[in-house]
Amino acid sequence: WCDPLMTPTALKAFRRKLPDCDLAVYVDLGSRTVLSWDGALHFRQEHLDVLCACAADLFDSAPKGDGPVEHVLFLSPTGSRTFFRNLADPNEALCCICAADIAVGSLINAVRAALAGEDPAR
């Protein structure tokens, strides 16, 4: 089963909006399952599974406060790894591997819009 908002077509449209995003993976955190993905390069399933497990571990270990943590960002000179929880369905997340110089604000806004089901062409 795949969330209709994050089908392969939706992920491709999302990545087209962010040319510095090399990989977008939509995951189920509870079952640690890759639901859908789109990438500039072909990634082996093992790589996608590790990214999914990393997202699940990060969100599982996040401080428990007023609500679920929305995102975790790892930025470095060689690239970025970003993990965004779908707040409408906190058991799902969008993971992205992007260029080092990605505009973080634009990325956050684009992910929020995609997870809200907004048209990526806007």
Side-chain angles (χ1 to χ4, degrees), residues 20-98:
D20 290 333
C21 180
D22 295 323
L23 176 67
V25 182
Y26 198 63
V27 302
D28 182 300
L29 298 170
S31 66
R32 295 177 178 238
T33 303
V34 173
L35 300 174
S36 182
W37 72 276
D38 184 75
L41 302 171
H42 179 74
F43 289 86
R44 294 174 50 139
Q45 186 63 46
E46 294 83 7
H47 184 89
L48 302 175
D49 291 341
V50 167
L51 196 61
C52 177
C54 183
D57 289 344
L58 285 168
F59 288 119
D60 284 347
S61 65
K64 308 301 183 236
D66 294 332
V69 170
E70 179 192 30
H71 59 268
V72 178
L73 309 173
F74 293 98
L75 308 173
S76 78
T78 59
S80 64
R81 307 292 184 267
T82 61
F83 304 87
F84 296 87
R85 186 189 303 261
N86 182 349
L87 295 179
D89 187 346
N91 287 318
E92 296 179 357
L94 179 59
C95 311
C96 300
I97 296 178
C98 302

Coordinates of all heavy atoms in Angstrom, one line a residue, residues 20-98:
D20 N 18.3 20.1 -6.7 CA 19.4 19.7 -5.8 C 19.1 18.5 -5.0 O 19.9 18.1 -4.1 CB 19.9 20.8 -4.9 CG 20.6 21.9 -5.7 OD1 21.2 21.6 -6.8 OD2 20.6 23.1 -5.3
C21 N 17.9 17.9 -5.1 CA 17.5 16.7 -4.4 C 17.8 15.5 -5.2 O 17.2 15.3 -6.3 CB 16.0 16.8 -4.0 SG 15.4 15.4 -3.1
D22 N 18.8 14.7 -4.8 CA 19.2 13.6 -5.6 C 18.3 12.3 -5.3 O 18.2 11.4 -6.2 CB 20.6 13.2 -5.3 CG 21.6 14.3 -5.7 OD1 21.3 14.9 -6.8 OD2 22.6 14.5 -5.0
L23 N 17.7 12.3 -4.2 CA 16.9 11.1 -3.8 C 15.8 11.5 -2.9 O 16.0 12.2 -1.9 CB 17.8 10.0 -3.1 CG 17.1 8.8 -2.6 CD1 16.5 7.9 -3.8 CD2 18.0 7.9 -1.8
A24 N 14.6 11.0 -3.1 CA 13.4 11.2 -2.2 C 12.8 9.9 -2.0 O 12.5 9.1 -2.9 CB 12.4 12.2 -2.8
V25 N 12.7 9.5 -0.7 CA 12.2 8.2 -0.3 C 11.1 8.4 0.7 O 11.3 9.1 1.7 CB 13.3 7.3 0.3 CG1 12.8 5.9 0.7 CG2 14.5 7.2 -0.6
Y26 N 9.9 7.8 0.4 CA 8.8 7.9 1.4 C 8.7 6.6 2.1 O 8.7 5.5 1.5 CB 7.5 8.2 0.6 CG 6.4 8.7 1.5 CD1 6.5 9.9 2.2 CD2 5.2 8.0 1.7 CE1 5.5 10.4 3.0 CE2 4.2 8.4 2.5 CZ 4.3 9.6 3.2 OH 3.3 10.1 4.0
V27 N 8.7 6.6 3.4 CA 8.8 5.4 4.2 C 7.7 5.3 5.3 O 7.1 6.3 5.7 CB 10.2 5.4 4.9 CG1 11.3 5.4 3.9 CG2 10.3 6.5 6.0
D28 N 7.4 4.1 5.7 CA 6.6 3.8 6.8 C 7.5 3.5 8.0 O 8.3 2.6 8.0 CB 5.7 2.6 6.5 CG 4.8 2.2 7.7 OD1 5.3 2.0 8.8 OD2 3.6 2.2 7.4
L29 N 7.4 4.4 9.0 CA 8.4 4.3 10.1 C 8.1 3.1 11.0 O 9.0 2.5 11.5 CB 8.3 5.6 11.0 CG 8.7 6.9 10.3 CD1 8.3 8.1 11.1 CD2 10.1 6.9 9.9
G30 N 6.8 2.8 11.2 CA 6.5 1.7 12.1 C 6.9 0.3 11.6 O 7.5 -0.5 12.3
S31 N 6.7 0.1 10.3 CA 7.1 -1.2 9.7 C 8.5 -1.1 9.1 O 9.0 -2.2 8.6 CB 6.1 -1.7 8.6 OG 6.1 -0.8 7.5
R32 N 9.1 0.1 9.1 CA 10.4 0.3 8.4 C 10.4 -0.2 7.0 O 11.3 -1.0 6.6 CB 11.5 -0.4 9.3 CG 11.6 0.3 10.6 CD 12.6 -0.4 11.5 NE 12.8 0.3 12.8 CZ 13.9 0.8 13.2 NH1 15.0 0.7 12.6 NH2 13.9 1.4 14.4
T33 N 9.4 0.2 6.3 CA 9.2 -0.2 4.9 C 9.3 1.0 3.9 O 8.7 2.1 4.2 CB 7.8 -0.8 4.7 OG1 7.7 -1.9 5.6 CG2 7.6 -1.3 3.3
V34 N 10.0 0.9 2.8 CA 10.1 1.9 1.8 C 8.8 1.8 1.0 O 8.4 0.7 0.5 CB 11.3 1.7 0.9 CG1 11.2 2.6 -0.3 CG2 12.6 1.9 1.6
L35 N 8.0 2.9 1.0 CA 6.7 2.9 0.3 C 6.9 3.3 -1.2 O 6.2 2.8 -2.1 CB 5.7 3.8 1.0 CG 5.4 3.4 2.4 CD1 4.5 4.4 3.1 CD2 4.7 2.0 2.5
S36 N 7.8 4.3 -1.4 CA 8.0 4.8 -2.7 C 9.3 5.6 -2.8 O 9.7 6.1 -1.7 CB 6.8 5.8 -3.0 OG 6.9 6.3 -4.3
W37 N 9.9 5.7 -3.9 CA 11.1 6.5 -4.0 C 11.3 7.0 -5.5 O 10.8 6.5 -6.4 CB 12.3 5.7 -3.6 CG 12.8 4.6 -4.5 CD1 12.2 3.3 -4.5 CD2 13.8 4.6 -5.5 NE1 12.9 2.6 -5.5 CE2 13.8 3.4 -6.1 CE3 14.6 5.7 -5.9 CZ2 14.7 3.1 -7.1 CZ3 15.5 5.4 -6.9 CH2 15.5 4.1 -7.5
D38 N 12.1 8.1 -5.6 CA 12.5 8.6 -6.9 C 13.9 9.1 -6.7 O 14.2 9.8 -5.7 CB 11.6 9.7 -7.3 CG 11.9 10.1 -8.7 OD1 11.7 9.4 -9.7 OD2 12.5 11.2 -8.9
G39 N 14.8 8.8 -7.6 CA 16.2 9.3 -7.5 C 16.8 9.7 -8.9 O 16.4 9.1 -9.9
A40 N 17.8 10.6 -8.8 CA 18.5 10.9 -10.0 C 19.4 9.7 -10.5 O 19.6 9.6 -11.7 CB 19.4 12.1 -9.7
L41 N 19.8 8.9 -9.5 CA 20.5 7.7 -9.8 C 19.8 6.5 -9.3 O 18.9 6.7 -8.4 CB 21.9 7.8 -9.1 CG 22.8 9.0 -9.5 CD1 24.0 9.0 -8.6 CD2 23.2 8.9 -11.0
H42 N 20.1 5.4 -9.7 CA 19.5 4.2 -9.2 C 20.2 3.8 -7.9 O 21.4 3.7 -7.8 CB 19.6 3.0 -10.2 CG 19.0 1.8 -9.6 ND1 17.6 1.6 -9.6 CD2 19.5 0.6 -9.1 CE1 17.4 0.4 -9.0 NE2 18.5 -0.2 -8.7
F43 N 19.4 3.6 -6.8 CA 19.9 3.3 -5.5 C 19.5 1.8 -5.3 O 18.3 1.5 -5.5 CB 19.4 4.2 -4.4 CG 20.0 5.6 -4.5 CD1 19.4 6.5 -5.3 CD2 21.1 5.9 -3.8 CE1 20.0 7.8 -5.4 CE2 21.7 7.1 -3.8 CZ 21.1 8.1 -4.6
R44 N 20.4 1.0 -4.7 CA 20.0 -0.4 -4.4 C 19.0 -0.4 -3.3 O 19.0 0.5 -2.4 CB 21.3 -1.1 -4.0 CG 22.3 -1.3 -5.1 CD 23.6 -1.9 -4.7 NE 23.3 -3.1 -3.9 CZ 24.0 -4.2 -4.0 NH1 25.0 -4.3 -4.8 NH2 23.7 -5.2 -3.2
Q45 N 18.2 -1.4 -3.2 CA 17.2 -1.5 -2.2 C 17.8 -1.5 -0.8 O 17.2 -0.9 0.1 CB 16.4 -2.8 -2.3 CG 15.2 -3.0 -1.4 CD 14.2 -1.9 -1.6 OE1 13.8 -1.6 -2.7 NE2 13.7 -1.3 -0.5
E46 N 19.0 -2.1 -0.6 CA 19.7 -2.0 0.7 C 20.0 -0.6 1.1 O 19.8 -0.3 2.3 CB 21.0 -2.8 0.6 CG 20.8 -4.3 0.4 CD 20.7 -4.7 -1.1 OE1 20.8 -3.8 -2.0 OE2 20.4 -5.9 -1.3
H47 N 20.3 0.3 0.2 CA 20.6 1.7 0.6 C 19.3 2.3 1.0 O 19.2 3.1 2.0 CB 21.2 2.4 -0.7 CG 21.5 3.8 -0.4 ND1 22.8 4.2 0.1 CD2 20.8 4.9 -0.5 CE1 22.8 5.5 0.2 NE2 21.6 6.0 -0.1
L48 N 18.2 2.1 0.3 CA 16.9 2.6 0.6 C 16.4 2.1 2.0 O 15.9 2.9 2.8 CB 15.9 2.3 -0.4 CG 16.2 2.8 -1.9 CD1 15.1 2.3 -2.8 CD2 16.3 4.3 -1.9
D49 N 16.6 0.8 2.3 CA 16.3 0.3 3.6 C 17.0 0.9 4.7 O 16.5 1.1 5.8 CB 16.5 -1.3 3.5 CG 15.5 -2.0 2.6 OD1 14.5 -1.4 2.2 OD2 15.8 -3.1 2.3
V50 N 18.3 1.2 4.5 CA 19.1 1.8 5.6 C 18.6 3.2 5.8 O 18.5 3.6 7.0 CB 20.6 1.8 5.2 CG1 21.4 2.7 6.1 CG2 21.2 0.4 5.2
L51 N 18.3 3.9 4.8 CA 17.8 5.3 4.9 C 16.5 5.2 5.7 O 16.2 6.1 6.6 CB 17.6 5.9 3.6 CG 17.4 7.4 3.5 CD1 18.6 8.2 4.1 CD2 17.1 7.9 2.1
C52 N 15.6 4.3 5.4 CA 14.3 4.1 6.1 C 14.6 3.8 7.6 O 13.9 4.4 8.5 CB 13.6 3.0 5.4 SG 12.0 2.5 6.2
A53 N 15.5 2.8 7.9 CA 15.8 2.5 9.3 C 16.4 3.7 10.0 O 16.1 3.9 11.2 CB 16.8 1.3 9.3
C54 N 17.2 4.5 9.3 CA 17.8 5.6 10.0 C 16.7 6.6 10.4 O 16.7 7.2 11.5 CB 18.8 6.3 9.0 SG 19.6 7.7 9.7
A55 N 15.7 6.8 9.5 CA 14.6 7.7 9.8 C 13.8 7.2 11.0 O 13.5 8.0 11.9 CB 13.7 7.9 8.6
A56 N 13.5 5.9 11.0 CA 12.7 5.3 12.1 C 13.5 5.5 13.4 O 12.9 5.9 14.4 CB 12.4 3.9 11.8
D57 N 14.8 5.2 13.4 CA 15.6 5.4 14.6 C 15.7 6.8 15.1 O 15.6 7.1 16.3 CB 17.0 4.8 14.4 CG 17.1 3.3 14.2 OD1 16.1 2.6 14.6 OD2 18.1 2.8 13.7
L58 N 15.8 7.7 14.2 CA 15.9 9.2 14.5 C 14.6 9.6 15.2 O 14.6 10.3 16.2 CB 16.2 10.0 13.3 CG 17.6 10.0 12.8 CD1 17.7 10.6 11.4 CD2 18.5 10.7 13.8
F59 N 13.5 9.3 14.5 CA 12.2 9.8 15.1 C 11.8 9.0 16.4 O 11.2 9.6 17.2 CB 11.1 9.7 14.0 CG 11.2 10.8 13.0 CD1 11.4 10.4 11.6 CD2 11.2 12.1 13.3 CE1 11.5 11.4 10.7 CE2 11.4 13.1 12.4 CZ 11.5 12.7 11.0
D60 N 12.2 7.7 16.5 CA 11.9 7.0 17.7 C 12.7 7.5 18.9 O 12.3 7.5 20.0 CB 12.3 5.5 17.5 CG 11.3 4.7 16.7 OD1 10.2 5.2 16.5 OD2 11.6 3.6 16.3
S61 N 13.9 8.1 18.6 CA 14.8 8.5 19.7 C 14.6 10.0 20.0 O 15.2 10.6 20.9 CB 16.2 8.3 19.4 OG 16.6 9.0 18.3
A62 N 13.7 10.7 19.2 CA 13.5 12.1 19.4 C 12.8 12.4 20.8 O 12.1 11.5 21.3 CB 12.6 12.7 18.3
P63 N 13.1 13.5 21.4 CA 12.5 13.8 22.7 C 11.0 13.9 22.5 O 10.5 14.3 21.6 CB 13.1 15.2 23.0 CG 14.2 15.5 22.1 CD 14.0 14.6 20.9
K64 N 10.4 13.3 23.5 CA 8.9 13.3 23.5 C 8.4 14.6 24.2 O 8.7 14.8 25.4 CB 8.3 12.1 24.3 CG 8.9 10.7 23.8 CD 8.7 10.5 22.4 CE 9.2 9.1 22.0 NZ 10.2 9.1 20.9
G65 N 7.8 15.4 23.4 CA 7.3 16.7 24.0 C 5.9 16.9 23.7 O 5.0 16.0 23.8
D66 N 5.5 18.1 23.3 CA 4.1 18.4 23.0 C 3.6 17.7 21.8 O 2.4 17.5 21.6 CB 4.0 19.9 22.8 CG 4.3 20.7 24.0 OD1 4.1 20.1 25.1 OD2 4.7 21.9 23.9
G67 N 4.4 17.3 20.9 CA 4.0 16.6 19.6 C 5.2 16.0 19.0 O 6.4 16.1 19.4
P68 N 5.0 15.3 17.9 CA 6.1 14.6 17.2 C 7.1 15.6 16.6 O 6.7 16.7 16.2 CB 5.4 13.8 16.1 CG 4.1 14.4 15.9 CD 3.7 15.1 17.2
V69 N 8.3 15.3 16.5 CA 9.3 16.1 15.9 C 9.0 16.1 14.4 O 8.8 15.0 13.8 CB 10.8 15.5 16.2 CG1 11.8 16.2 15.3 CG2 11.1 15.7 17.6
E70 N 9.0 17.3 13.8 CA 8.7 17.4 12.3 C 9.8 17.0 11.4 O 9.6 16.3 10.5 CB 8.2 18.8 12.0 CG 7.9 18.9 10.5 CD 7.7 20.3 10.0 OE1 8.4 21.2 10.6 OE2 6.9 20.5 9.1
H71 N 11.1 17.4 11.7 CA 12.2 17.1 10.8 C 13.5 17.1 11.6 O 13.7 17.6 12.6 CB 12.2 18.1 9.7 CG 12.4 19.5 10.1 ND1 11.3 20.4 10.3 CD2 13.5 20.3 10.3 CE1 11.8 21.6 10.6 NE2 13.1 21.6 10.6
V72 N 14.4 16.3 10.9 CA 15.8 16.2 11.4 C 16.6 16.4 10.2 O 16.4 15.8 9.1 CB 16.1 14.8 12.0 CG1 17.5 14.7 12.4 CG2 15.1 14.5 13.1
L73 N 17.6 17.4 10.3 CA 18.5 17.7 9.2 C 19.9 17.5 9.5 O 20.4 17.9 10.6 CB 18.3 19.2 8.8 CG 16.9 19.7 8.6 CD1 16.9 21.2 8.5 CD2 16.2 19.1 7.5
F74 N 20.6 16.8 8.6 CA 22.1 16.7 8.7 C 22.7 17.4 7.5 O 22.5 16.9 6.4 CB 22.5 15.2 8.7 CG 22.0 14.4 9.9 CD1 20.8 13.7 9.8 CD2 22.7 14.4 11.1 CE1 20.4 12.9 10.9 CE2 22.3 13.7 12.2 CZ 21.1 13.0 12.1
L75 N 23.4 18.5 7.8 CA 24.0 19.2 6.7 C 25.5 19.2 6.8 O 26.0 19.3 7.9 CB 23.5 20.7 6.8 CG 22.0 20.9 6.9 CD1 21.7 22.4 7.1 CD2 21.3 20.4 5.6
S76 N 26.2 18.9 5.7 CA 27.6 18.8 5.7 C 28.2 19.4 4.4 O 27.4 19.6 3.5 CB 28.1 17.4 5.9 OG 28.0 16.7 4.7
P77 N 29.5 19.6 4.4 CA 30.1 20.1 3.1 C 30.0 19.2 1.9 O 30.1 19.6 0.8 CB 31.6 20.3 3.5 CG 31.6 20.4 5.0 CD 30.5 19.6 5.4
T78 N 29.7 17.9 2.2 CA 29.6 16.9 1.1 C 28.2 16.5 0.7 O 28.0 15.8 -0.2 CB 30.4 15.6 1.5 OG1 29.8 15.1 2.7 CG2 31.8 15.9 1.7
G79 N 27.2 17.0 1.4 CA 25.8 16.7 1.1 C 24.9 16.8 2.3 O 25.4 17.1 3.4
S80 N 23.6 16.7 2.1 CA 22.7 16.7 3.2 C 21.8 15.5 3.2 O 21.5 14.9 2.2 CB 21.9 18.0 3.2 OG 21.1 18.0 2.0
R81 N 21.4 15.1 4.4 CA 20.4 14.1 4.6 C 19.3 14.7 5.5 O 19.6 15.2 6.5 CB 21.0 12.9 5.4 CG 22.3 12.3 4.8 CD 22.0 11.6 3.5 NE 23.2 11.0 2.9 CZ 24.1 11.5 2.1 NH1 23.9 12.8 1.7 NH2 25.1 10.8 1.6
T82 N 18.1 14.6 5.0 CA 17.0 15.3 5.7 C 15.8 14.3 5.8 O 15.6 13.5 4.9 CB 16.5 16.5 4.9 OG1 16.1 16.1 3.6 CG2 17.6 17.5 4.8
F83 N 15.2 14.4 7.0 CA 14.1 13.4 7.3 C 12.9 14.3 7.8 O 13.1 15.1 8.7 CB 14.6 12.5 8.4 CG 15.8 11.7 8.0 CD1 17.1 12.3 8.3 CD2 15.7 10.5 7.4 CE1 18.2 11.6 7.9 CE2 16.9 9.8 7.1 CZ 18.1 10.3 7.3
F84 N 11.8 14.1 7.2 CA 10.6 14.9 7.5 C 9.4 14.0 7.8 O 9.0 13.2 7.0 CB 10.2 15.8 6.3 CG 11.2 16.8 5.9 CD1 12.2 16.5 5.1 CD2 11.1 18.1 6.5 CE1 13.2 17.4 4.7 CE2 12.1 19.0 6.1 CZ 13.1 18.7 5.2
R85 N 8.9 14.1 9.0 CA 7.7 13.3 9.4 C 6.5 13.9 8.8 O 6.3 15.1 8.7 CB 7.6 13.3 10.9 CG 6.5 12.4 11.4 CD 6.2 12.5 12.9 NE 7.4 12.3 13.7 CZ 7.6 11.1 14.4 NH1 6.8 10.1 14.3 NH2 8.7 11.0 15.2
N86 N 5.6 13.1 8.3 CA 4.3 13.5 7.8 C 3.4 13.7 9.0 O 3.0 12.8 9.6 CB 3.7 12.5 6.8 CG 2.4 12.9 6.3 OD1 1.8 13.9 6.7 ND2 1.9 12.2 5.3
L87 N 3.2 15.0 9.4 CA 2.4 15.2 10.6 C 1.0 14.8 10.5 O 0.4 14.5 11.5 CB 2.6 16.7 11.0 CG 4.0 17.2 11.4 CD1 4.0 18.7 11.7 CD2 4.5 16.4 12.5
A88 N 0.5 14.7 9.3 CA -0.9 14.2 9.1 C -1.0 12.7 9.4 O -2.0 12.1 9.7 CB -1.4 14.5 7.7
D89 N 0.2 12.0 9.2 CA 0.3 10.6 9.5 C 1.7 10.3 10.0 O 2.6 10.0 9.3 CB 0.1 9.7 8.2 CG 0.0 8.2 8.5 OD1 0.4 7.8 9.7 OD2 -0.4 7.5 7.7
P90 N 1.9 10.5 11.3 CA 3.2 10.5 12.0 C 3.9 9.2 11.8 O 5.1 9.1 12.2 CB 2.9 10.8 13.4 CG 1.6 11.5 13.5 CD 0.8 10.9 12.3
N91 N 3.3 8.1 11.3 CA 4.0 6.9 11.0 C 4.7 6.9 9.7 O 5.4 5.9 9.3 CB 3.1 5.7 11.1 CG 2.7 5.4 12.6 OD1 3.6 5.5 13.4 ND2 1.5 5.1 12.8
E92 N 4.6 8.0 8.9 CA 5.2 8.1 7.6 C 6.2 9.3 7.6 O 6.0 10.2 8.3 CB 4.2 8.2 6.5 CG 3.3 6.9 6.5 CD 2.2 6.9 5.4 OE1 2.1 8.0 4.8 OE2 1.5 5.9 5.3
A93 N 7.2 9.1 6.7 CA 8.2 10.2 6.6 C 8.8 10.3 5.2 O 8.7 9.3 4.4 CB 9.3 10.0 7.6
L94 N 9.2 11.5 4.8 CA 9.9 11.7 3.6 C 11.4 11.9 3.9 O 11.7 12.8 4.6 CB 9.3 12.9 2.8 CG 9.9 13.3 1.5 CD1 9.8 12.1 0.5 CD2 9.2 14.5 0.9
C95 N 12.3 11.1 3.3 CA 13.7 11.2 3.5 C 14.3 11.7 2.2 O 13.9 11.3 1.1 CB 14.3 9.9 3.8 SG 13.5 9.0 5.1
C96 N 15.2 12.7 2.3 CA 15.9 13.2 1.1 C 17.4 13.3 1.2 O 17.9 13.6 2.3 CB 15.4 14.7 0.8 SG 13.6 14.8 0.6
I97 N 18.0 13.0 0.1 CA 19.5 13.2 0.0 C 19.7 14.3 -1.0 O 19.2 14.2 -2.1 CB 20.2 11.9 -0.4 CG1 20.1 10.8 0.7 CG2 21.7 12.2 -0.7 CD1 20.7 9.5 0.3
C98 N 20.3 15.3 -0.6 CA 20.4 16.5 -1.4 C 21.9 17.0 -1.5 O 22.7 16.6 -0.7 CB 19.6 17.7 -0.8 SG 17.8 17.2 -0.7

